[in-house]
mmCIF file of all heavy atoms in Angstrom:
data_model
loop_
_atom_site.group_PDB
_atom_site.id
_atom_site.type_symbol
_atom_site.label_atom_id
_atom_site.label_comp_id
_atom_site.label_asym_id
_atom_site.label_seq_id
_atom_site.Cartn_x
_atom_site.Cartn_y
_atom_site.Cartn_z
ATOM 1 N N MET V 407 62.648 69.766 233.660
ATOM 2 C CA MET V 407 62.244 69.118 232.416
ATOM 3 C C MET V 407 62.591 67.635 232.504
ATOM 4 O O MET V 407 63.621 67.246 233.078
ATOM 5 C CB MET V 407 62.968 69.753 231.231
ATOM 6 C CG MET V 407 62.787 71.267 231.142
ATOM 7 S SD MET V 407 61.070 71.743 230.842
ATOM 8 C CE MET V 407 60.859 71.145 229.171
ATOM 9 N N PRO V 408 61.745 66.792 231.953
ATOM 10 C CA PRO V 408 62.037 65.353 231.993
ATOM 11 C C PRO V 408 63.251 65.028 231.123
ATOM 12 O O PRO V 408 63.561 65.777 230.183
ATOM 13 C CB PRO V 408 60.757 64.725 231.425
ATOM 14 C CG PRO V 408 60.124 65.818 230.611
ATOM 15 C CD PRO V 408 60.486 67.099 231.292
ATOM 16 N N PRO V 409 63.983 63.940 231.445
ATOM 17 C CA PRO V 409 63.664 62.990 232.522
ATOM 18 C C PRO V 409 64.076 63.507 233.890
ATOM 19 O O PRO V 409 65.004 64.304 233.992
ATOM 20 C CB PRO V 409 64.489 61.750 232.128
ATOM 21 C CG PRO V 409 65.671 62.317 231.421
ATOM 22 C CD PRO V 409 65.155 63.511 230.670
ATOM 23 N N ALA V 410 63.391 63.050 234.920
ATOM 24 C CA ALA V 410 63.718 63.471 236.281
ATOM 25 C C ALA V 410 65.047 62.880 236.706
ATOM 26 O O ALA V 410 65.420 61.768 236.319
ATOM 27 C CB ALA V 410 62.617 63.037 237.249
ATOM 28 N N LEU V 411 65.764 63.653 237.502
ATOM 29 C CA LEU V 411 67.078 63.198 237.960
ATOM 30 C C LEU V 411 66.948 61.944 238.831
ATOM 31 O O LEU V 411 67.868 61.134 238.900
ATOM 32 C CB LEU V 411 67.783 64.305 238.735
ATOM 33 C CG LEU V 411 69.247 64.052 239.089
ATOM 34 C CD1 LEU V 411 70.078 63.856 237.828
ATOM 35 C CD2 LEU V 411 69.798 65.195 239.912
ATOM 36 N N ALA V 412 65.794 61.792 239.480
ATOM 37 C CA ALA V 412 65.599 60.609 240.321
ATOM 38 C C ALA V 412 65.594 59.321 239.495
ATOM 39 O O ALA V 412 65.834 58.235 240.013
ATOM 40 C CB ALA V 412 64.300 60.737 241.108
ATOM 41 N N GLU V 413 65.305 59.422 238.190
ATOM 42 C CA GLU V 413 65.262 58.258 237.322
ATOM 43 C C GLU V 413 66.612 57.947 236.691
ATOM 44 O O GLU V 413 66.766 56.964 235.974
ATOM 45 C CB GLU V 413 64.220 58.472 236.228
ATOM 46 C CG GLU V 413 62.828 58.767 236.773
ATOM 47 C CD GLU V 413 61.858 59.156 235.665
ATOM 48 O OE1 GLU V 413 62.305 59.202 234.494
ATOM 49 O OE2 GLU V 413 60.683 59.404 235.966
ATOM 50 N N VAL V 414 67.601 58.829 236.910
ATOM 51 C CA VAL V 414 68.921 58.656 236.308
ATOM 52 C C VAL V 414 69.831 57.929 237.289
ATOM 53 O O VAL V 414 69.975 58.352 238.437
ATOM 54 C CB VAL V 414 69.524 60.010 235.912
ATOM 55 C CG1 VAL V 414 70.917 59.822 235.322
ATOM 56 C CG2 VAL V 414 68.614 60.718 234.922
ATOM 57 N N HIS V 415 70.436 56.860 236.814
ATOM 58 C CA HIS V 415 71.317 56.069 237.682
ATOM 59 C C HIS V 415 72.715 55.960 237.086
ATOM 60 O O HIS V 415 73.509 55.143 237.543
ATOM 61 C CB HIS V 415 70.732 54.668 237.891
ATOM 62 C CG HIS V 415 69.354 54.699 238.472
ATOM 63 N ND1 HIS V 415 69.079 55.011 239.782
ATOM 64 C CD2 HIS V 415 68.142 54.471 237.888
ATOM 65 C CE1 HIS V 415 67.784 54.958 239.999
ATOM 66 N NE2 HIS V 415 67.184 54.638 238.865
ATOM 67 N N SER V 416 73.011 56.765 236.091
ATOM 68 C CA SER V 416 74.313 56.705 235.443
ATOM 69 C C SER V 416 75.354 57.399 236.312
ATOM 70 O O SER V 416 75.078 58.413 236.950
ATOM 71 C CB SER V 416 74.250 57.371 234.066
ATOM 72 O OG SER V 416 75.545 57.459 233.497
ATOM 73 N N THR V 417 76.550 56.816 236.344
ATOM 74 C CA THR V 417 77.645 57.440 237.076
ATOM 75 C C THR V 417 78.471 58.351 236.187
ATOM 76 O O THR V 417 79.365 59.049 236.680
ATOM 77 C CB THR V 417 78.554 56.352 237.675
ATOM 78 O OG1 THR V 417 79.045 55.514 236.608
ATOM 79 C CG2 THR V 417 77.800 55.500 238.688
ATOM 80 N N ASN V 418 78.196 58.364 234.877
ATOM 81 C CA ASN V 418 78.903 59.233 233.949
ATOM 82 C C ASN V 418 78.283 60.627 233.976
ATOM 83 O O ASN V 418 77.393 60.916 234.782
ATOM 84 C CB ASN V 418 78.868 58.641 232.539
ATOM 85 C CG ASN V 418 79.528 57.273 232.481
ATOM 86 O OD1 ASN V 418 80.511 57.032 233.185
ATOM 87 N ND2 ASN V 418 78.997 56.390 231.657
ATOM 88 N N GLU V 419 78.735 61.460 233.064
ATOM 89 C CA GLU V 419 78.202 62.827 233.014
ATOM 90 C C GLU V 419 76.740 62.816 232.592
ATOM 91 O O GLU V 419 76.348 62.162 231.628
ATOM 92 C CB GLU V 419 79.020 63.665 232.025
ATOM 93 C CG GLU V 419 78.553 65.112 231.964
ATOM 94 C CD GLU V 419 79.392 65.951 231.019
ATOM 95 O OE1 GLU V 419 80.483 66.384 231.433
ATOM 96 O OE2 GLU V 419 78.948 66.156 229.872
ATOM 97 N N ILE V 420 75.937 63.549 233.315
ATOM 98 C CA ILE V 420 74.509 63.659 233.015
ATOM 99 C C ILE V 420 74.155 65.133 232.897
ATOM 100 O O ILE V 420 74.894 66.015 233.327
ATOM 101 C CB ILE V 420 73.653 62.982 234.111
ATOM 102 C CG1 ILE V 420 73.946 63.636 235.466
ATOM 103 C CG2 ILE V 420 73.881 61.483 234.154
ATOM 104 C CD1 ILE V 420 73.082 63.102 236.583
ATOM 105 N N CYS V 421 73.000 65.381 232.308
ATOM 106 C CA CYS V 421 72.524 66.756 232.109
ATOM 107 C C CYS V 421 71.141 66.902 232.725
ATOM 108 O O CYS V 421 70.274 66.030 232.571
ATOM 109 C CB CYS V 421 72.471 67.112 230.617
ATOM 110 S SG CYS V 421 74.092 67.176 229.818
ATOM 111 N N VAL V 422 70.943 67.993 233.412
ATOM 112 C CA VAL V 422 69.663 68.324 234.029
ATOM 113 C C VAL V 422 69.183 69.653 233.429
ATOM 114 O O VAL V 422 69.971 70.603 233.303
ATOM 115 C CB VAL V 422 69.784 68.441 235.556
ATOM 116 C CG1 VAL V 422 68.425 68.734 236.183
ATOM 117 C CG2 VAL V 422 70.393 67.191 236.142
ATOM 118 N N ASP V 423 67.892 69.716 233.062
ATOM 119 C CA ASP V 423 67.343 70.897 232.396
ATOM 120 C C ASP V 423 66.198 71.484 233.203
ATOM 121 O O ASP V 423 65.396 70.752 233.810
ATOM 122 C CB ASP V 423 66.834 70.529 230.999
ATOM 123 C CG ASP V 423 67.943 70.070 230.077
ATOM 124 O OD1 ASP V 423 68.563 70.926 229.439
ATOM 125 O OD2 ASP V 423 68.215 68.841 230.018
ATOM 126 N N TRP V 424 66.139 72.804 233.191
ATOM 127 C CA TRP V 424 65.026 73.538 233.774
ATOM 128 C C TRP V 424 64.556 74.595 232.780
ATOM 129 O O TRP V 424 65.367 75.202 232.057
ATOM 130 C CB TRP V 424 65.435 74.267 235.053
ATOM 131 C CG TRP V 424 65.724 73.379 236.215
ATOM 132 C CD1 TRP V 424 64.837 72.816 237.079
ATOM 133 C CD2 TRP V 424 67.028 72.964 236.652
ATOM 134 N NE1 TRP V 424 65.498 72.081 238.020
ATOM 135 C CE2 TRP V 424 66.846 72.153 237.792
ATOM 136 C CE3 TRP V 424 68.326 73.205 236.188
ATOM 137 C CZ2 TRP V 424 67.892 71.574 238.475
ATOM 138 C CZ3 TRP V 424 69.396 72.630 236.860
ATOM 139 C CH2 TRP V 424 69.172 71.828 237.984
ATOM 140 N N GLN V 425 63.276 74.796 232.750
ATOM 141 C CA GLN V 425 62.698 75.907 231.998
ATOM 142 C C GLN V 425 61.924 76.779 232.963
ATOM 143 O O GLN V 425 61.308 76.270 233.904
ATOM 144 C CB GLN V 425 61.773 75.412 230.883
ATOM 145 C CG GLN V 425 61.150 76.554 230.075
ATOM 146 C CD GLN V 425 60.411 76.042 228.857
ATOM 147 O OE1 GLN V 425 61.009 75.479 227.958
ATOM 148 N NE2 GLN V 425 59.096 76.237 228.833
ATOM 149 N N GLY V 426 61.969 78.078 232.734
ATOM 150 C CA GLY V 426 61.272 78.971 233.651
ATOM 151 C C GLY V 426 61.048 80.339 233.068
ATOM 152 O O GLY V 426 61.315 80.598 231.888
ATOM 153 N N GLU V 427 60.551 81.207 233.914
ATOM 154 C CA GLU V 427 60.291 82.604 233.557
ATOM 155 C C GLU V 427 60.774 83.495 234.692
ATOM 156 O O GLU V 427 60.609 83.156 235.870
ATOM 157 C CB GLU V 427 58.799 82.849 233.316
ATOM 158 C CG GLU V 427 58.230 82.119 232.124
ATOM 159 C CD GLU V 427 56.737 82.348 231.977
ATOM 160 O OE1 GLU V 427 56.099 82.754 232.987
ATOM 161 O OE2 GLU V 427 56.201 82.143 230.879
ATOM 162 N N VAL V 428 61.363 84.615 234.331
ATOM 163 C CA VAL V 428 61.803 85.589 235.315
ATOM 164 C C VAL V 428 61.068 86.896 235.028
ATOM 165 O O VAL V 428 60.921 87.295 233.863
ATOM 166 C CB VAL V 428 63.334 85.784 235.277
ATOM 167 C CG1 VAL V 428 63.807 86.262 233.925
ATOM 168 C CG2 VAL V 428 63.787 86.711 236.387
ATOM 169 N N LYS V 429 60.595 87.546 236.088
ATOM 170 C CA LYS V 429 59.755 88.726 235.926
ATOM 171 C C LYS V 429 60.068 89.741 237.008
ATOM 172 O O LYS V 429 60.405 89.380 238.138
ATOM 173 C CB LYS V 429 58.273 88.329 236.004
ATOM 174 C CG LYS V 429 57.294 89.432 235.682
ATOM 175 C CD LYS V 429 55.869 88.909 235.709
ATOM 176 C CE LYS V 429 54.874 90.008 235.351
ATOM 177 N NZ LYS V 429 53.476 89.513 235.379
ATOM 178 N N CYS V 430 59.949 91.019 236.637
ATOM 179 C CA CYS V 430 60.207 92.093 237.599
ATOM 180 C C CYS V 430 59.141 92.111 238.687
ATOM 181 O O CYS V 430 57.997 91.707 238.483
ATOM 182 C CB CYS V 430 60.230 93.452 236.887
ATOM 183 S SG CYS V 430 61.654 93.730 235.831
ATOM 184 N N MET V 431 59.525 92.620 239.840
ATOM 185 C CA MET V 431 58.581 92.797 240.932
ATOM 186 C C MET V 431 57.585 93.903 240.593
ATOM 187 O O MET V 431 57.838 94.759 239.736
ATOM 188 C CB MET V 431 59.328 93.133 242.218
ATOM 189 C CG MET V 431 60.320 92.057 242.640
ATOM 190 S SD MET V 431 61.296 92.575 244.094
ATOM 191 C CE MET V 431 62.354 91.144 244.304
ATOM 192 N N GLU V 432 56.453 93.894 241.274
ATOM 193 C CA GLU V 432 55.373 94.815 240.942
ATOM 194 C C GLU V 432 55.711 96.269 241.226
ATOM 195 O O GLU V 432 55.130 97.173 240.623
ATOM 196 C CB GLU V 432 54.098 94.419 241.689
ATOM 197 C CG GLU V 432 53.527 93.074 241.255
ATOM 198 C CD GLU V 432 52.237 92.754 241.969
ATOM 199 O OE1 GLU V 432 51.839 93.561 242.850
ATOM 200 O OE2 GLU V 432 51.618 91.719 241.654
ATOM 201 N N ASP V 433 56.632 96.535 242.151
ATOM 202 C CA ASP V 433 56.942 97.924 242.492
ATOM 203 C C ASP V 433 57.974 98.545 241.552
ATOM 204 O O ASP V 433 58.346 99.711 241.743
ATOM 205 C CB ASP V 433 57.438 98.021 243.936
ATOM 206 C CG ASP V 433 58.676 97.159 244.178
ATOM 207 O OD1 ASP V 433 58.966 96.293 243.334
ATOM 208 O OD2 ASP V 433 59.347 97.359 245.202
ATOM 209 N N ILE V 434 58.428 97.830 240.542
ATOM 210 C CA ILE V 434 59.365 98.377 239.567
ATOM 211 C C ILE V 434 58.576 99.104 238.488
ATOM 212 O O ILE V 434 57.716 98.509 237.819
ATOM 213 C CB ILE V 434 60.238 97.275 238.947
ATOM 214 C CG1 ILE V 434 60.983 96.511 240.040
ATOM 215 C CG2 ILE V 434 61.214 97.858 237.942
ATOM 216 C CD1 ILE V 434 61.870 97.364 240.896
ATOM 217 N N THR V 435 58.851 100.393 238.313
ATOM 218 C CA THR V 435 58.070 101.211 237.377
ATOM 219 C C THR V 435 58.898 101.799 236.243
ATOM 220 O O THR V 435 58.339 102.444 235.366
ATOM 221 C CB THR V 435 57.384 102.357 238.130
ATOM 222 O OG1 THR V 435 58.372 103.174 238.777
ATOM 223 C CG2 THR V 435 56.411 101.823 239.171
ATOM 224 N N CYS V 436 60.203 101.630 236.256
ATOM 225 C CA CYS V 436 61.033 102.201 235.191
ATOM 226 C C CYS V 436 62.184 101.270 234.878
ATOM 227 O O CYS V 436 62.530 100.387 235.678
ATOM 228 C CB CYS V 436 61.554 103.585 235.579
ATOM 229 S SG CYS V 436 62.796 103.565 236.896
ATOM 230 N N GLY V 437 62.770 101.453 233.708
ATOM 231 C CA GLY V 437 63.912 100.660 233.306
ATOM 232 C C GLY V 437 65.208 101.385 233.590
ATOM 233 O O GLY V 437 65.260 102.365 234.333
ATOM 234 N N GLY V 438 66.288 100.896 232.977
ATOM 235 C CA GLY V 438 67.578 101.522 233.177
ATOM 236 C C GLY V 438 67.688 102.852 232.451
ATOM 237 O O GLY V 438 66.994 103.108 231.466
ATOM 238 N N PHE V 439 68.587 103.700 232.921
ATOM 239 C CA PHE V 439 68.785 105.019 232.314
ATOM 240 C C PHE V 439 70.120 105.576 232.768
ATOM 241 O O PHE V 439 70.768 105.058 233.694
ATOM 242 C CB PHE V 439 67.655 105.985 232.693
ATOM 243 C CG PHE V 439 67.544 106.256 234.163
ATOM 244 C CD1 PHE V 439 68.204 107.333 234.747
ATOM 245 C CD2 PHE V 439 66.778 105.440 234.982
ATOM 246 C CE1 PHE V 439 68.112 107.582 236.107
ATOM 247 C CE2 PHE V 439 66.677 105.680 236.348
ATOM 248 C CZ PHE V 439 67.350 106.756 236.903
#
Side-chain angles (χ1 to χ4, degrees):
M407 305 296 291
L411 189 60
E413 303 172 359
V414 178
H415 303 286
S416 173
T417 58
N418 300 325
E419 182 178 279
I420 59 176
C421 294
V422 182
D423 296 273
W424 290 278
Q425 180 171 296
E427 295 177 341
V428 60
K429 187 177 181 180
C430 289
M431 300 175 181
E432 294 183 356
D433 58 345
I434 303 301
T435 59
C436 70
F439 62 92

